[in-house]
Amino acid sequence: MKLGVMTSGGDSPGMNAAIRAVVRTGISEGYEIVGIKRGWTGLTENITMPMNLRTVSGIISGGGTILQKES
């Protein structure tokens, strides 16, 4: 089964930590995880990135979100 992770735009504290938690939990449950970049634009235009333990390693201290906001 595949699970998509998307953020909706503006920066908010803890967003990368939430993404990391979803990815790590999803992987532990056997899901394939896909990050949807640029919010709703990414969803409608299929702008995605595969996500795994490596892609979420070390992201908690970063600002913004690794999935980027809609431009």
Side-chain angles (χ1 to χ4, degrees):
M1 192 173 291
K2 189 181 283 191
L3 177 69
V5 179
M6 179 178 89
T7 59
S8 62
D11 295 340
S12 64
M15 189 56 66
N16 281 336
I19 293 168
R20 179 179 176 258
V22 168
V23 171
R24 291 174 57 143
T25 301
I27 289 171
S28 74
E29 295 293 323
Y31 292 97
E32 175 185 351
I33 312 296
V34 175
I36 302 165
K37 299 181 81 168
R38 299 184 54 220
W40 291 105
T41 299
L43 184 63
T44 59
E45 296 179 10
N46 197 30
I47 304 169
T48 63
M49 64 182 275
M51 301 195 77
N52 55 46
L53 297 177
R54 178 172 279 178
T55 59
V56 297
S57 175
I59 67 169
I60 290 180
S61 61
T65 169
I66 64 166
L67 295 176
Q68 303 169 340
K69 64 182 180 178
E70 187 170 356
S71 54

